[in-house]
Amino acid sequence: MYLSFYQLKEEPFRLTPDPRFIHFAEPHRKAFLMLVEGVVRRGGFSVLSGAVGTGKTTLLHTLFLVLGRKFVGDRKISSAFIVNPMLSREEFLEYVLQELEINCSHTTKPRRLLALHQSLLETQRRGATTVLVIDEAHLLSPEVLEEIRLLNNVESYGEKLLQVILCGQPELEQTLAAPRLSAFNQRIAVRTKLRELSVSETRAYIAERLHVAGLRDASPFPPALVEQIHFCSEGVPRLINLICDSCLSLGFKTERKILGSDEIGRAHV
């Protein structure tokens, strides 16, 4: 609606986890590098935590994009992305097999585990790796977490055949710290967290998304307004997106190229 008015090619503040719009602020850059290293070095378990709206899912999609460029041809990465982890142990194993496109006509657990093991070994022989990413991992039950630990026990000469990334809200760390999950907790090779953005990071975040969306003229968000946006959003990227999108819509309706406090006051978040 406001694209032509602000000379944009696409909406800069959509809530979809588009890797093109990722902004590598300090916590995101650090987390991304740690996750890449964990997968490439086949460390086994990696845990990414962060509050709601801090950009965890976008970071994961960016990770897959980068890994897809590293593992190409016959070495193509094998991956599974689970976004609804509220499953039983049996359902979880079935979901993993389907996501990894492993054909197994048998319904017994031993035969399914054997099919998974054979697939993991074949992927390793190709020089690639298998990555299992579980989003919203704070919703996993202790029973399914134990199942994941057992799946991750598959090794070849001390190298983990399955790389598992658990991504969730801060409660995930509390869950993993439970005494009954001590065996799991001890096997985590990478732990990293995302935090809210600072004022300067918020300024860079807004500017970069506008640039990716096609803006080449002056930003419609002056410095004073950016500070207000940071205050209202508390530096949470998702809230920044909602506020900025609402401000652009209101600015278009009132034909204001440079936005101000009025738009912030009327923004619906």
Side-chain angles (χ1 to χ4, degrees):
M1 181 172 61
Y2 53 70
L3 296 185
S4 59
F5 182 74
Y6 290 106
Q7 297 183 341
L8 297 168
K9 296 179 180 178
E10 54 186 314
E11 296 177 17
F13 299 105
R14 289 178 297 180
L15 299 182
T16 54
D18 189 339
R20 294 179 304 123
F21 286 91
I22 190 167
H23 173 65
F24 281 114
E26 187 273 336
H28 297 73
R29 180 176 64 255
K30 179 181 177 181
F32 179 78
L33 292 175
M34 291 181 68
L35 291 177
V36 170
E37 183 178 9
V39 171
V40 173
R41 296 182 62 181
R42 294 178 168 86
F45 284 118
S46 299
V47 174
L48 169 65
S49 61
V52 175
T54 49
K56 300 183 296 295
T57 304
T58 302
L59 195 69
L60 292 178
H61 282 277
T62 306
L63 174 70
F64 270 107
L65 181 65
V66 171
L67 291 176
R69 292 171 179 170
K70 177 177 177 58
F71 296 96
V72 296
D74 293 338
R75 297 176 65 247
K76 183 178 180 181
I77 190 173
S78 179
S79 63
F81 201 128
I82 297 179
V83 296
N84 183 3
M86 298 184 69
L87 305 165
S88 66
R89 297 179 74 151
E90 293 74 19
E91 291 170 338
F92 180 83
L93 179 56
E94 181 180 355
Y95 199 160
V96 170
L97 292 177
Q98 290 179 348
E99 280 287 299
L100 293 176
E101 299 180 347
I102 298 174
N103 295 320
C104 180
S105 58
H106 301 280
T107 58
T108 63
K109 187 171 183 178
R111 296 300 292 268
R112 287 184 168 183
L113 289 173
L114 180 60
L116 175 60
H117 190 189
Q118 291 174 338
S119 175
L120 296 177
L121 285 171
E122 176 57 31
T123 300
Q124 188 208 39
R125 281 194 287 266
R126 290 191 283 106
T129 191
T130 303
V131 183
L132 169 62
V133 175
I134 305 172
D135 204 359
E136 305 292 344
H138 55 281
L139 298 175
L140 287 167
S141 68
E143 291 74 24
V144 174
L145 282 168
E146 179 63 12
E147 183 73 23
I148 296 170
R149 182 185 71 83
L150 294 175
L151 291 179
N152 192 252
N153 280 341
V154 180
E155 298 183 6
S156 175
Y157 301 106
E159 182 178 85
K160 294 292 184 181
L161 300 182
L162 178 64
Q163 315 309 313
V164 180
I165 299 175
L166 302 180
C167 174
Q169 296 175 25
E171 304 92 273
L172 174 60
E173 289 285 0
Q174 299 172 14
T175 299
L176 295 174
R180 66 181 296 185
L181 293 173
S182 59
F184 190 113
N185 206 26
Q186 293 169 8
R187 287 167 169 77
I188 298 173
V190 172
R191 296 177 188 267
T192 185
K193 299 180 181 180
L194 295 183
R195 59 164 172 77
E196 295 78 6
L197 303 180
S198 66
V199 175
S200 60
E201 289 168 343
T202 298
R203 184 178 299 108
Y205 176 86
I206 293 173
E208 186 166 345
R209 291 189 74 101
L210 288 168
H211 181 78
V212 172
L215 182 69
R216 296 298 179 265
D217 295 330
S219 171
F221 297 94
L225 183 61
V226 170
E227 292 185 9
Q228 287 184 274
I229 293 172
H230 177 266
F231 177 80
C232 293
S233 67
E234 298 182 336
V236 176
R238 183 180 298 167
L239 296 181
I240 294 172
N241 287 355
L242 288 169
I243 294 172
C244 288
D245 184 74
S246 183
C247 285
L248 289 174
S249 295
L250 291 169
F252 166 71
K253 293 176 182 177
T254 56
E255 299 185 351
R256 294 183 62 173
K257 290 285 188 179
I258 303 298
L259 303 170
S261 299
D262 290 346
E263 282 73 29
I264 283 284
R266 296 166 56 199
H268 298 289
V269 179

